[in-house]
């Protein structure tokens, strides 16, 4: 390629990047708002609102669109969760987490000596869980949508068929996957045009096979994915690649409506995702602990503030590891206790403001969940709100897909504990609630959340980021409710993460001054710097001014809020 052309491309990329960063300030609107990881998908959602659709219609349309424009995490081959609050203050959730196939066993990732086969639970076709996204979006739409199904799916079909502008995130991924030609034939082909050239920024990227798959969903609803041609092609793909998902697994998959996890914080109501996500329980547990702190004497970003937050995280993650899993397999999880104010009082007594606690590495370890997920938030003029997080687990999931179907399968089975009974301080966990079993849902950290005020949606928020999701959502909620930050500032504020084990505070680069680092180390904390965590997508509603305020994380250069 001539040097000049490269220069121009680099300049274009830089301008796109800077432009996107500048666009990530707050967006205001009167009639509704959509915020997602891709601005063209947010626009799809906003168009649906304009057509008279409600927040559910907009969320479903945006989610299908992200499967086209943001395929590292947007998907029809994965799963996720919706938290919904309607204009009357009624709340519910939709669980469309992937399930283990019928042929799965709790020792499926071990060799004949009982040793874990390195990486198999995240890399092979055995890492693929039965996808839940199409069933979840369909259920949400059937129960709570307003427009007809074809109208909300069609924009994604159009984007896949006619193409959309290849963006910065896709360009970076394309460079990565095509660098080692032949290593992964599917991913190598994925970003190439009909002439076999890698798509470049600014070009239109079309996905005709995905358009056909989406058109079957548009025409046949959930059966367009779980039955018929698509189901057969999925089952054939699995057989050919030594996977175990069958047509029966697909036909049996159901999304489930569940009661949200509920909590309160100083007059605000918290609604978040129950198990199989651990997000809601941990969020409420940590907010209850924060309610007991005296924030008149604890300043934002002081060593005291960060110590307190880290100690709350440590405790919530320890409880997560011990107790949480799929509720259909773990009938006696102590959810009421973990989210109670009484339990928080007990837990709070154990926090020493002068000294870090010690995580007990003899019993539990790091949990397995990937970092590539995506969140979208929608609100409509009637006062309905949707918080939707869904995932493929790793970036581009299993990095496996069928040429004929045009979409990528998850590697969500890696979120199960892979080796029964074996828990190691290096991070492997083997506790019972989250072991593999046929038709079981793997434990998640996704934390789609709606904060209510006087029975109306006030803040809609969520994030990708594996285990860090719980903590980035927690700190963003605290930033808005306790520190009274506007939503964009709350999202952009640098954050920390503690997940019990490894026993360390991970902090976003530039958050801690040398003085704060010293003060935290003096309390006994081990500190580890990291460039970035999460990508929060949030909306607040100001009832006095009657305005929606949307903001997306500048860490995701193609993201954006679109109102109307
Ligand atoms: N795969 C990320 C999560 O479910 O938390």
């Amino acid at each position: 390629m001539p040097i000049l052309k490269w220069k121009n491309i680099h300049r274009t990329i830089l301008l796109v990047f800077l432009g996107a960063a500048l666009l990530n300030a707050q967006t205001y609107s009167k009639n509704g708002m959509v915020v997602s990881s891709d601005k063209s998908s947010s626009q799809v959602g906003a168009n649906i609102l304009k057509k008279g659709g409600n927040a559910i219609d907009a969320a479903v349309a945006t989610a299908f669109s992200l499967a086209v424009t943001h395929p590292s995490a947007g998907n029809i081959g994965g799963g996720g969760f919706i938290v919904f609050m309607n204009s009357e203050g009624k709340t519910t959730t939709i669980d469309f987490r992937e399930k283990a196939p019928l042929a799965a066993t709790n020792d499926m990732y071990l060799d004949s000596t009982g040793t874990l086969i390195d990486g198999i639970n995240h890399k092979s076709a055995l890492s693929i869980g039965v996808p839940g996204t199409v069933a979840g979006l369909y259920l949400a739409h059937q129960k709570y949508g307003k427009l007809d199904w074809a109208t909300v799916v069609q924009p994604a079909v159009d984007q896949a068929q006619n193409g959309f502008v290849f963006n910065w995130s896709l360009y970076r991924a394309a460079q990565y996957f095509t660098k080692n030609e032949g290593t992964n034939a599917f991913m190598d082909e994925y970003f190439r045009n009909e002439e076999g050239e890698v798509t470049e920024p600014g070009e239109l990227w079309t996905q005709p096979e995905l358009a056909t798959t989406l058109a079957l969903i548009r025409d046949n609803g959930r059966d367009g994915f779980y039955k018929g041609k698509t189901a057969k092609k999925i089952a054939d793909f699995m057989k050919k690649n030594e996977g175990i998902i069958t047509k029966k697994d697909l036909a049996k998959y159901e999304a489930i409506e569940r009661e949200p996890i509920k909590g309160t914080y100083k007059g605000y109501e918290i609604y978040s995702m129950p198990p199989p996500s651990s997000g809601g329980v941990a969020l409420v547990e940590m907010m209850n602990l924060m309610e007991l702190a005296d924030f008149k004497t604890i300043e934002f970003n002081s060593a005291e503030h960060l110590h307190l937050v880290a100690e709350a995280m440590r405790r919530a993650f320890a409880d997560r590891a011990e107790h949480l899993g799929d509720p259909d397999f773990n009938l006696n999880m102590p959810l009421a206790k973990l989210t109670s104010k009484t339990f928080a009082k007990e837990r709070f007594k154990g926090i020493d403001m002068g000294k870090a606690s010690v995580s007990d590495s003899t019993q539990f370890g790091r949990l397995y969940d990937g970092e590539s997920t995506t969140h979208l938030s929608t609100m409509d003029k009637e006062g309905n709100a949707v918080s939707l997080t869904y995932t493929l687990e790793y970036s581009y999931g299993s990095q496996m897909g069928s040429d004929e179907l045009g979409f990528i399968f998850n590697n969500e089975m890696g979120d199960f504990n892979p080796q029964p009974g074996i828990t190691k301080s290096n991070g492997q966990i083997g506790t019972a609630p989250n072991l593999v079993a046929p038709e079981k849902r793997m434990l998640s950290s996704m934390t789609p959340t709606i904060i209510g005020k006087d029975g109306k949606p006030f803040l809609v928020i969520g994030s990708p980021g594996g285990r860090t999701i719980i903590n980035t959502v927690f700190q963003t909620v605290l930033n808005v409710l306790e520190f009274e930050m506007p939503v964009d500032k709350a999202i952009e504020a640098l954050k920390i993460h503690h997940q019990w084990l490894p026993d360390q505070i991970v902090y976003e680069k530039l958050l801690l001054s040398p003085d704060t680092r010293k003060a935290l180390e003096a309390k006994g904390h081990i500190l580890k710097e990291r460039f970035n965590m999460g990508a929060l997508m949030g909306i607040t509603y100001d009832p006095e001014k009657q305005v929606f305020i949307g903001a997306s994380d500048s860490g995701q250069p193609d993201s954006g809020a679109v109102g109307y």
Side-chain angles (χ1 to χ4, degrees):
M1 176 173 298
I3 289 169
L4 246 186
K5 197 169 171 201
W6 263 112
K7 266 193 188 156
N8 285 339
I9 288 170
H10 283 148
R11 196 171 301 136
T12 312
I13 292 164
L14 189 67
L15 289 175
V16 168
F17 183 71
L18 289 175
L22 291 173
L23 286 173
N24 278 330
Q26 293 192 152
T27 298
Y28 301 87
S29 69
K30 278 301 215 182
N31 295 302
M33 181 71 71
V34 179
V35 191
S36 82
S37 303
D38 186 277
K39 202 160 188 207
S40 71
S41 294
S42 301
Q43 186 65 60
V44 161
N47 292 346
I48 288 290
L49 291 177
K50 267 186 223 165
K51 279 191 176 163
N54 65 14
I56 285 279
D57 295 316
V60 171
T62 307
F64 276 119
S65 170
L66 287 169
V68 181
T69 63
H70 186 69
S72 60
N75 69 79
I76 53 173
F81 305 119
I82 285 173
V83 176
F84 174 50
M85 184 173 194
N86 76 7
S87 51
E88 272 113 51
K90 189 177 166 318
T91 53
T92 189
T93 76
I94 307 282
D95 165 6
F96 53 100
R97 184 70 161 162
E98 300 94 324
K99 292 174 83 164
L102 287 157
T105 60
N106 70 5
D107 59 358
M108 64 190 278
Y109 299 122
L110 310 182
D111 67 15
S112 56
T113 68
T115 308
L116 181 62
I117 303 167
D118 193 29
I120 188 175
N121 58 338
H122 267 128
K123 280 185 198 149
S124 63
L126 288 179
S127 73
I128 304 172
V130 183
T133 295
V134 175
L137 299 181
Y138 190 71
L139 177 63
H141 176 265
Q142 293 302 297
K143 287 204 77 167
Y144 301 109
K146 227 166 112 183
L147 297 182
D148 66 85
W149 174 250
T151 303
V152 298
V153 184
Q154 186 61 41
V157 180
D158 292 340
Q159 280 177 306
Q161 190 66 55
N162 306 330
F164 66 97
V165 176
F166 203 65
N167 62 32
W168 171 244
S169 320
L170 292 168
Y171 173 71
R172 281 192 310 179
Q175 294 299 307
Y176 172 79
F177 284 115
T178 53
K179 181 175 67 198
N180 302 315
E181 214 170 314
T183 316
N184 178 335
F186 175 77
M187 290 309 298
D188 184 46
E189 273 297 305
Y190 190 66
F191 297 104
R192 293 181 189 272
N193 60 23
E194 276 172 11
E195 286 78 46
E197 288 160 354
V198 180
T199 313
E200 293 195 348
E203 288 180 356
L204 279 188
W205 186 40
T206 57
Q207 299 169 81
E209 294 81 11
L210 178 58
T212 305
T213 304
L214 287 168
L216 283 172
I217 296 167
R218 174 199 62 200
D219 296 342
N220 303 298
R222 54 154 291 146
D223 287 354
F225 185 87
Y226 294 94
K227 292 184 179 162
K229 279 189 205 153
T230 300
K232 183 177 179 321
K233 282 180 185 161
I234 294 173
D236 290 348
F237 172 86
M238 295 297 160
K239 211 179 244 174
K240 201 167 140 206
N241 292 281
E242 294 170 15
I244 53 174
I245 294 175
T246 62
K247 279 206 289 188
K248 191 169 174 195
D249 280 304
L250 293 161
K252 279 193 86 177
Y253 185 88
E254 294 289 348
I256 299 177
E257 188 161 14
R258 300 186 192 276
E259 272 292 300
I261 289 288
K262 296 179 183 164
T264 58
Y265 185 82
K266 299 186 180 177
Y268 291 94
E269 306 117 33
I270 304 169
Y271 304 99
S272 193
M273 198 63 211
S277 181
S278 55
V281 174
L283 174 67
V284 169
E285 190 177 337
M286 292 191 286
M287 291 304 288
N288 284 342
L289 287 169
M290 293 303 106
E291 209 173 38
L292 299 167
D294 179 8
F295 279 107
K296 286 195 193 78
T297 60
I298 299 175
E299 285 194 52
F300 181 73
N301 267 1
S302 62
E304 284 66 36
H305 168 218
L306 298 171
H307 170 72
L308 176 69
V309 160
E311 290 301 314
M313 292 171 177
R314 182 200 303 280
R315 284 157 178 77
F317 270 81
D319 293 333
R320 175 197 197 271
E322 186 170 1
H323 297 294
L324 303 184
D326 183 342
D328 298 336
F329 286 72
N330 297 281
L331 301 180
N332 297 312
M333 287 184 288
L335 304 185
K337 177 182 160 189
L338 294 175
T339 56
S340 73
K341 303 279 183 197
T342 324
F343 181 68
K345 273 189 196 138
E346 279 308 304
R347 275 286 201 205
F348 194 76
K349 278 186 211 152
I351 298 179
D352 181 342
M353 284 305 286
K355 196 164 160 247
S357 306
V358 176
S359 298
D360 181 355
S361 62
T362 59
Q363 291 181 59
F364 302 105
R366 179 168 64 86
L367 299 171
Y368 285 78
D369 41 13
E371 300 245 330
S372 198
T373 298
T374 190
H375 180 82
L376 66 96
S377 297
T378 66
M379 283 182 93
D380 66 32
K381 63 181 172 201
E382 289 155 30
N384 303 296
V386 173
S387 191
L388 185 158
T389 315
Y390 70 154
T391 185
L392 288 170
E393 169 67 346
Y394 280 4
S395 187
Y396 296 92
S398 61
Q399 298 173 8
M400 297 175 83
S402 135
D403 297 335
E404 291 175 275
L405 293 168
F407 70 88
I408 298 167
F409 291 110
N410 69 82
N411 60 342
E412 216 73 53
M413 292 291 284
D415 270 356
F416 280 116
N417 299 345
Q419 199 174 12
I422 305 293
T423 295
K424 299 180 185 168
S425 59
N426 73 356
Q428 186 178 315
I429 182 162
T431 49
N434 190 36
L435 292 177
V436 183
E439 296 201 86
K440 193 173 180 181
R441 290 162 203 252
M442 55 298 281
L443 186 64
S444 169
S445 297
M446 291 186 281
T447 315
T449 296
I450 297 176
I451 303 296
K453 181 80 181 141
D454 304 324
K456 304 271 180 219
F458 164 68
L459 167 67
V460 186
I461 194 76
S463 178
R467 285 149 287 149
T468 70
I469 294 173
I470 300 173
N471 289 335
T472 54
V473 170
F474 160 51
Q475 287 162 97
T476 306
V477 169
L478 193 67
N479 288 348
V480 174
L481 304 194
E482 183 59 48
F483 298 109
E484 297 178 2
M485 289 185 196
V487 65
D488 62 334
K489 294 279 181 289
I491 285 173
E492 294 296 328
L494 298 172
K495 298 184 175 71
I496 63 164
H497 171 68
H498 196 303
Q499 57 175 42
W500 185 43
L501 288 171
D503 191 348
Q504 63 189 17
I505 295 177
V506 180
Y507 65 96
E508 284 187 282
K509 192 170 159 60
L510 302 179
L511 168 65
L512 302 181
S513 70
D515 292 353
T516 314
R517 282 207 296 272
K518 266 192 208 131
L520 286 168
E521 278 162 357
K523 288 178 195 291
H525 290 289
I526 294 165
L527 304 176
K528 192 172 169 204
E529 185 183 270
R530 178 177 160 167
F531 184 66
N532 184 45
M533 277 190 279
L536 292 124
M537 306 288 147
I539 307 173
T540 48
Y541 182 68
D542 182 333
E544 265 172 43
K545 299 190 184 75
Q546 299 187 353
V547 67
F548 297 96
I549 306 162
S552 72
D553 201 317
S554 63
Q556 286 224 322
D558 303 304
S559 67
V562 179
Y564 96 99

